[in-house]
Amino acid sequence: MRFSTMYIKENTPLSDFSTFGIGGPARYLVEVKTVDEVSEAFAWARDLPVLVVGNGSNTLFSDDPFPGLVIVNRIGFCKIEGTLVEVGAGHSFSLLGIHTARKGLSGLEFASGIPATVGGAIFMNAGANGKETCECLHSVAYLLETGEVRQYLKSELEFGYRHSSFQSMKGCILSAVFLLSENPAARKAQLAIVERRIQTQPLKDKSVGCIFQNPSKEFSAGALIDQCGLKGHSVGGAKVSEIHANFIVNHNRATARDVIELIRQIREKVKEKTGILLEPEVRIR
Ligand SMILES: Cc1cc2nc3c(=O)[nH]c(=O)nc-3n(C[C@H](O)[C@H](O)[C@H](O)COP(=O)(O)OP(=O)(O)OC[C@H]3O[C@@H](n4cnc5c(N)ncnc54)[C@H](O)[C@@H]3O)c2cc1C
């Protein structure tokens, strides 16, 4: 149905909006390209539950219908002035890493290959190669539930390992400003990061990246799962990747129930063998 400049779809499969390719239908779904459209979508939803998503690369949608409105953030502008980058929350985080590195700007090289939106990367404080999204973040524009747009400086926000203040808020990240530094070696570093990803991750399979957080700097979740002999272990159509044990791949029409049961079995086995209880990184919705 048409509402203002937007088209609100009904009963849309969420499997098309997650890199896992899993999920039941959303009662309503809208793809928004401007701040006004995000605002209008929230107003349209009124008392319905609202879920904002980016590229669905860290989201396992339930097999059951989502009873409210899913807002897919597609605000995609990008302005670079000197070392300041202002970018829409729906812009590809990976392309941002590539684009800035090509311009000889350093700080977001690690983003290349992370199939996120900028909003999803800030929400999760995505990281790789010893770097995290918050490090070169300057500020974030955020739509509060009340409909008011607020600018947050990084110093007003909290970030940790795969954690941000936004995880306990109910609005929508609209855009962000990153402060990078000039470095002619940025492109070379970024290309090396992509090469390493190609060598170590199952990029041809449907997944949401690492399923579990690393329990500490000394222990990686992937190594612990591997030690327990779980590579290749499957439940229904969901399987522990043979390439990277912290990835679950949808190899044959997996359901969310398959993935959740596989997560349960991995946690149980790792706890039994190593005493460590793994915590999921994936957001289950
Ligand atoms: C092949 C592969 C490799 C990966 N490698 C990495 C890696 O190296 N490092 C890493 O940290 N992660 C990695 N990931 C996981 C994933 O890309 C990140 O967690 C990423 O930050 C998720 O971004 P997204 O836009 O897809 O978010 P989504 O999955 O769409 O959403 C994630 C969460 O953020 C919320 N959200 C999204 N956008 C907004 C917004 N605009 N406003 C408010 N809330 C929002 C959603 O509600 C949800 O709770 C990988 C995934 C894959 C498939």
Side-chain angles (χ1 to χ4, degrees):
M1 83 191 80
R2 188 153 278 287
F3 178 72
S4 183
T5 56
M6 303 175 295
Y7 186 70
I8 297 175
K9 297 180 210 163
E10 288 177 75
N11 292 319
T12 304
L14 287 170
S15 49
D16 293 345
F17 293 86
S18 161
T19 52
F20 235 153
I22 295 173
R27 182 168 172 201
Y28 301 109
L29 181 143
V30 66
E31 297 179 57
V32 291
K33 295 194 183 72
T34 65
V35 171
D36 284 348
E37 286 185 355
V38 182
S39 210
E40 284 171 17
F42 270 93
W44 182 89
R46 291 195 195 176
D47 295 333
L48 285 172
V50 170
L51 176 63
V52 178
V53 294
N55 197 37
S57 67
N58 197 42
T59 303
L60 173 62
F61 293 116
S62 167
D63 299 319
D64 301 325
F66 179 75
L69 175 68
V70 173
I71 301 178
V72 185
N73 193 311
R74 303 271 192 226
I75 305 176
F77 71 89
C78 182
K79 284 189 270 180
I80 302 182
E81 276 175 30
T83 52
L84 271 189
V85 181
E86 189 183 356
V87 63
H91 192 284
S92 158
F93 192 51
S94 179
L95 288 181
L96 184 66
I98 296 167
H99 191 50
T100 51
R102 274 200 186 129
K103 284 189 166 287
L105 295 173
S106 183
L108 287 170
E109 296 93 327
F110 76 92
S112 66
I114 302 183
T117 59
V118 167
I122 294 169
F123 184 96
M124 291 304 301
N125 191 23
N129 300 86
K131 298 275 179 199
E132 291 180 333
T133 307
C134 66
E135 287 174 43
C136 56
L137 186 67
H138 173 271
S139 54
V140 176
Y142 190 82
L143 182 86
L144 298 167
E145 262 186 299
T146 54
E148 181 198 342
V149 176
R150 243 205 90 171
Q151 301 288 335
Y152 289 99
L153 288 173
K154 183 169 85 174
S155 55
E156 297 174 276
L157 299 163
E158 274 176 29
F159 289 97
Y161 174 57
R162 303 298 175 265
H163 173 79
S164 74
S165 309
F166 299 112
Q167 293 173 8
S168 50
M169 294 161 72
K170 285 195 175 155
C172 179
I173 300 167
L174 300 170
S175 63
V177 176
F178 292 96
L179 183 53
L180 306 182
S181 57
E182 283 175 15
N183 181 353
R187 174 69 169 156
K188 197 172 164 208
Q190 177 262 311
L191 286 171
I193 286 168
V194 172
E195 189 50 39
R196 192 169 147 66
R197 268 184 194 278
I198 294 168
Q199 302 298 333
T200 57
Q201 296 185 356
L203 301 181
K204 289 189 185 133
D205 294 305
K206 291 181 196 162
S207 81
V208 284
C210 290
I211 281 284
F212 298 103
Q213 298 183 357
N214 289 323
S216 67
K217 288 228 162 75
E218 299 87 67
F219 295 108
S220 86
L224 293 171
I225 298 166
D226 197 5
Q227 273 168 37
C228 294
L230 288 168
K231 269 188 175 169
H233 179 63
S234 66
V235 171
K239 185 169 80 169
V240 178
S241 165
E242 314 265 4
I243 299 170
H244 190 315
N246 199 12
F247 278 54
I248 288 179
V249 296
N250 172 6
H251 77 112
N252 186 16
R253 296 185 188 183
T255 61
R257 282 181 196 89
D258 294 340
V259 177
I260 288 164
E261 174 56 17
L262 186 53
I263 289 174
R264 193 194 66 72
Q265 291 184 12
I266 296 168
R267 292 183 90 199
E268 189 177 79
K269 191 79 180 259
V270 172
K271 174 80 175 133
E272 187 188 296
K273 284 221 165 185
T274 68
I276 295 172
L277 185 62
L278 294 176
E279 290 303 332
E281 180 168 320
V282 60
R283 312 269 306 176
I284 301 174
R285 289 285 174 253

